[in-house]
C-alpha cells in the first residue's frame, strides 16, 4: 500500500492496497502466482481497532490498469469516492455501502491527469484537496505543472490552481494536514 488509510466517520480505517492486475507478470515474474488473480486490483482493507487487525472488504479491478495508487475520501453523503491511476489517467469508483461493493470504474468528467500519481485528501475545513499535473483541472501537458485544487462540493467542481512546481518530471505528490491546520 502506497497511501495512508482514511479514517471514516464510523471510526473504521480504510486502506486501499493494490496488487497489479497484470496477471501475466512482468519480466522474470511472468506467469507466476496465478492463485493471486482473484486479488488483482485495489483491495480495500479495513481496521476496526486502529490498525491492530485488518480485514479485506472488497477488491476493485480498474480499467486500463497501471500502478493504481488509489486514494479514498468519504463524501458528505456518506458515500466513498475512490480515485485510482490508470494508463489513461485517473479513474473513479463510488461505494454506497461502506466499501463492500463499488460502482464500475469510469473516467470522471472534468479531471484530466497523465499516467502519474496524484494526491487526494479531505481537509479539516471539509474541502477536498486534489494535487495533480496541469494548469487546469480538465487538462494536462504530461508530468509538468504540479498544481493544487480545492473542492467545496465533494469533487463536483474545483477552484484554485495553486501552482506548486512548473517543471517537467516532478511527480509523486503527497501531503497531510498538521493538527493546527
Amino acid at each position: 500500500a502506497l497511501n495512508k488509510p482514511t479514517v471514516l466517520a464510523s471510526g473504521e480505517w480504510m486502506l486501499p492496497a493494490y496488487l497489479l492486475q497484470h496477471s501475466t507478470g512482468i519480466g522474470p515474474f511472468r506467469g507466476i502466482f496465478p492463485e493471486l488473480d482473484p486479488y488483482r486490483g485495489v483491495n480495500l482493507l479495513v481496521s476496526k481497532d486502529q490498525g491492530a487487525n485488518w480485514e479485506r472488504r472488497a477488491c476493485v479491478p480498474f480499467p486500463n490498469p497501471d500502478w493504481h495508487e488509489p486514494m479514498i475520501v468519504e463524501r458528505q453523503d456518506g458515500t466513498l469516492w475512490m480515485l485510482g491511476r490508470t494508463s489513461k489517467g485517473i479513474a473513479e469508483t463510488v461505494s454506497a455501502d461502506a466499501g463492500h461493493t463499488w460502482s464500475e470504474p469510469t473516467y470522471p468528467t472534468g479531471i484530466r491527469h497523465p499516467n502519474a500519481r496524484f494526491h487526494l485528501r479531505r481537509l479539516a475545513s471539509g474541502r477536498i484537496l486534489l494535487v495533480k499535473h496541469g494548469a487546469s483541472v480538465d487538462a494536462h501537458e504530461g508530468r509538468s505543472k504540479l498544481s493544487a485544487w480545492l473542492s467545496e462540493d465533494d469533487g463536483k467542481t474545483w477552484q484554485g490552481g495553486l501552482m506548486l512546481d512548473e517543471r517537467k518530471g516532478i511527480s509523486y505528490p503527497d501531503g497531510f494536514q498538521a493538527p493546527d491546520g
Side-chain angles (χ1 to χ4, degrees):
L2 180 61
N3 299 310
K4 302 167 193 70
T6 298
V7 179
L8 305 178
S10 67
E12 293 177 318
W13 291 9
M14 181 170 282
L15 179 66
Y18 63 95
L19 182 60
L20 293 179
Q21 287 175 232
H22 305 291
S23 61
T24 57
I26 299 172
F29 304 107
R30 189 170 308 281
I32 64 172
F33 304 118
E35 66 275 14
L36 295 178
D37 287 352
Y39 305 101
R40 295 188 188 283
V42 177
N43 290 275
L44 284 303
L45 306 176
V46 176
S47 176
K48 297 178 182 181
D49 53 14
Q50 299 168 336
N53 296 287
W54 294 89
E55 67 180 45
R56 182 173 167 267
R57 184 162 286 174
C59 182
V60 182
F62 272 74
N64 306 299
D66 201 59
W67 296 100
H68 296 88
E69 299 169 347
M71 296 189 189
I72 296 173
V73 293
E74 186 171 16
R75 291 178 164 165
Q76 299 296 331
D77 66 4
T79 59
L80 301 176
W81 185 39
M82 178 168 49
L83 300 182
R85 172 183 171 181
T86 76
S87 63
K88 294 187 177 186
I90 292 174
E92 70 178 349
T93 179
V94 175
S95 174
D97 61 2
H100 292 279
T101 60
W102 293 82
S103 64
E104 185 73 25
T106 59
Y107 293 95
T109 57
I111 300 176
R112 295 292 169 258
H113 190 68
N115 178 0
R117 182 177 155 97
F118 57 90
H119 178 72
L120 182 76
R121 183 67 55 195
R122 183 171 299 282
L123 301 174
S125 67
R127 295 181 292 183
I128 296 176
L129 169 68
L130 173 65
V131 178
K132 63 169 289 297
H133 291 97
S136 68
V137 169
D138 60 356
H140 68 83
E141 301 85 38
R143 290 187 181 195
S144 66
K145 299 181 181 173
L146 194 63
S147 56
W149 302 86
L150 293 172
S151 177
E152 295 186 9
D153 56 10
D154 278 348
K156 292 179 186 77
T157 61
W158 300 92
Q159 300 83 39
L162 174 65
M163 187 59 59
L164 302 175
D165 198 315
E166 292 186 20
R167 296 174 294 168
K168 290 184 178 185
I170 302 300
S171 291
Y172 286 81
D174 200 8
F176 69 96
Q177 188 170 14
D180 65 359

